[in-house]
Amino acid sequence: MLVALGLSMVVVFMALIMTKRATPVVALIAVPVVFGLSAGAGTGIGTMITGGIKDLAPTAAMLFFAIVFFGIMIDVGLFDPIVKIVLRMVGEDPAKLVVGTAVLAAIVSLDGDGSTTFIITTSALLPLYLRLGVSPVVLTVAAGLANGTMNIVPWGGPTARAAAALHISPSDVFVPMIPALIAGLLVVFAFSWHLGRMERRRIGTLVLHERVLHGASDRTLIGVGGSASDGGTGAPGSDGGTGAAGSDAGAGASALTAAGGPHDDADDRRRPLIYWFNAVLTVALLVVLVLDVLPIPVLFMITAAIALIANFPAVADQQAAITRHSSSIVSVVGMVLAAAVLTGVFTGTGMVEAVATWLTHAIPESMGPHLGVVTGVLSMPFTFLMSNDAFYFGVLPVLSETAGQYGVSAAEMARASITGQPFHMQSPLVPAILLLVSLAGVSLADHHRKVLWRAAAVSLVMLAVGIVVGQIPF
């Protein structure tokens, strides 16, 4: 009975999330309560949920203060010089431009918010893409791959979810996977360089007049040498092309402000006098994080407080800085606390143990020791077709409990499970990727044609490197 209830709870939870019949917070609370009571939990369900909240409280604290810290760093202009450097370095070479796009997206992705990354990257670079005649689809591919690869940072979401679902420290998941992260980024940069070289050959000779104002491009195309490729830059009116003024890509650029681009009061929040203090503070945070000297939640709490005091001495300004990012904080932290209901009930009722025992007998014994690799491969299609919430809170705990029977630890399973994130981030279920293609003025189909196989390659490389360095058992 527990096996049937456990599997049914996972199916119902995933179905509600995938069909968007319930928000993750509602599904994470309502579904396990109903199934927990059906399993005979009675009033003991309160103790189960309370235990789950105690386990997830550190993760919620980490996400809260990580969003505050990196939100402040963006507000005060810490990353502005990086944008300017990228623009100077890429010049008018399409190959350098595409690599610069991936580099910029990877750096800005340190804030853990894909939407912010895509707004900054697109507003900074889309006008230059249009000026050079480079396909905006290439921008979405480079930015999407870089952000998906960086999405495994502890405060980005998946790592925190995996750690919370398996009741382990996020640092135990992320730090050993840094070599895999670096390898994944190198593959992303290689793909970006290749895409840029293809664009360089395709464009040929380009002669145009252009005026760029406030992130929108007012351009008149005079002549293009070379042929237009699928989703590329061709004659006015071609599919996915960048032609005369008023094209979809131009509309996407001009829509940046409405979508959350630079605001008139942004300059009021710049702190040039303490720029180097903010830079040193951010680098110090990342160094201490990697060294694992302090628990990650404590580290972010301390650095967020320092950042607030240093950049906004007035109490009213500190409150305003937190309020600016309150919507992200509430949605993410609320989701984590709601997840305590599912994990608490799933464990407290014995469903996890019952399902794991059943799976142990269902999976061939020869595959048991390889469940880490199996989980890494499955994480690509699973997280593409369902939300991270459904996978990490509904599927991973079952796989991990089963793998434990074969000596595969929870930390090793969590590391394997996050390697599919470059592929996951291209899913139409991810709001950030929909924002990216909208801002760039390209169709999701064009984006998928170019990005999916590359994202799968990046994920497999990360999984392979994790195996080679001994952090994921083969």
Side-chain angles (χ1 to χ4, degrees):
M1 180 179 176
L2 285 178
V3 173
L5 285 174
L7 293 176
S8 298
M9 183 172 72
V10 172
V11 170
V12 172
F13 168 69
M14 291 191 296
L16 289 175
I17 296 296
M18 293 172 64
T19 60
K20 298 184 179 180
R21 296 184 181 275
T23 63
V25 170
V26 171
L28 284 166
I29 296 173
V31 173
V33 167
V34 171
F35 279 87
L37 293 175
S38 300
T43 57
I45 197 170
T47 303
M48 298 176 190
I49 294 173
T50 302
I53 292 175
K54 290 179 180 178
D55 291 334
L56 297 187
T59 299
M62 179 198 73
L63 292 172
F64 184 108
F65 291 100
I67 292 172
V68 170
F69 179 83
F70 282 106
I72 291 172
M73 292 301 110
I74 291 175
D75 288 345
V76 301
L78 177 64
F79 299 109
D80 288 355
I82 297 175
V83 174
K84 295 177 181 177
I85 291 173
V86 170
L87 290 174
R88 284 199 300 267
M89 290 180 63
V90 302
E92 296 190 353
D93 183 351
K96 293 181 180 178
L97 173 60
V98 183
V99 173
T101 301
V103 171
L104 178 60
I107 293 173
V108 182
S109 292
L110 284 171
D111 76 334
D113 182 8
S115 298
T116 301
T117 298
F118 296 146
I119 288 170
I120 293 175
T121 303
T122 310
S123 62
L125 298 179
L126 180 58
L128 188 53
Y129 271 75
L130 302 179
R131 176 172 177 257
L132 297 179
V134 179
S135 170
V137 180
V138 176
L139 184 155
T140 66
V141 172
L145 288 176
N147 178 255
T149 305
M150 290 295 294
N151 203 42
I152 72 168
V153 295
W155 52 92
T159 299
R161 286 175 171 89
L166 302 183
H167 306 292
I168 56 179
S169 169
S171 61
D172 290 340
V173 182
F174 172 70
V175 174
M177 290 298 287
I178 289 178
L181 173 61
I182 294 173
L185 286 175
L186 291 177
V187 175
V188 171
F189 298 151
F191 277 141
S192 299
W193 177 256
H194 180 252
L195 284 168
R197 286 178 59 86
M198 291 174 61
E199 287 295 286
R200 182 198 290 166
R201 290 195 298 268
R202 180 185 62 79
I203 291 171
T205 303
L206 179 66
V207 181
L208 54 80
H209 300 296
E210 180 181 17
R211 181 172 69 255
V212 177
L213 296 173
H214 304 298
S217 180
D218 178 13
R219 62 205 182 281
T220 303
L221 187 61
I222 303 301
V224 178
S227 60
S229 62
D230 181 32
T233 304
S238 62
D239 292 338
T242 303
S247 68
D248 290 341
S254 62
L256 284 170
T257 301
H263 297 284
D264 292 337
D265 63 345
D267 290 338
D268 297 337
R269 298 196 290 268
R270 296 295 186 265
R271 296 293 185 270
L273 296 180
I274 60 170
Y275 174 83
W276 289 110
F277 174 84
N278 287 324
V280 171
L281 179 64
T282 302
V283 171
L285 181 151
L286 297 176
V287 170
V288 176
L289 186 152
V290 172
L291 295 177
D292 199 19
V293 176
L294 290 173
I296 295 180
V298 175
L299 179 60
F300 274 112
M301 292 173 75
I302 294 173
T303 51
I306 294 173
L308 283 167
I309 295 171
N311 290 278
F312 305 103
V315 174
D317 291 338
Q318 293 175 9
Q319 183 60 51
I322 296 174
T323 302
R324 276 194 298 275
H325 306 284
S326 59
S327 60
S328 297
I329 292 171
V330 170
S331 62
V332 174
V333 175
M335 179 274 299
V336 171
L337 294 177
V341 181
L342 189 146
T343 58
V345 171
F346 210 28
T347 302
T349 58
M351 292 181 188
V352 169
E353 183 177 354
V355 172
T357 301
W358 175 76
L359 283 177
T360 299
H361 293 90
I363 297 176
E365 187 174 351
S366 59
M367 291 298 296
H370 308 294
L371 274 176
V373 177
V374 172
T375 299
V377 174
L378 290 179
S379 69
M380 289 187 287
F382 273 32
T383 60
F384 185 84
L385 298 173
M386 65 179 69
S387 70
N388 275 337
D389 301 308
F391 177 71
Y392 287 106
F393 295 117
V395 176
L396 180 60
V398 177
L399 292 174
S400 180
E401 191 70 21
T402 304
Q405 305 295 325
Y406 298 93
V408 182
S409 71
E412 291 169 333
M413 290 293 289
R415 293 168 198 152
S417 72
I418 63 175
T419 59
Q421 285 305 300
F423 197 84
H424 159 76
M425 281 302 295
Q426 317 311 318
S427 169
L429 301 179
V430 177
I433 204 67
L434 300 179
L435 174 64
L436 173 62
V437 296
S438 175
L439 293 178
V442 303
S443 72
L444 187 62
D446 287 340
H447 174 73
H448 277 166
R449 275 197 291 269
K450 287 183 178 292
V451 80
L452 287 183
W453 72 268
R454 292 180 171 90
V458 175
S459 292
L460 291 175
V461 166
M462 294 176 67
L463 178 62
V465 172
I467 294 171
V468 170
V469 298
Q471 300 305 322
I472 299 173
F474 184 74

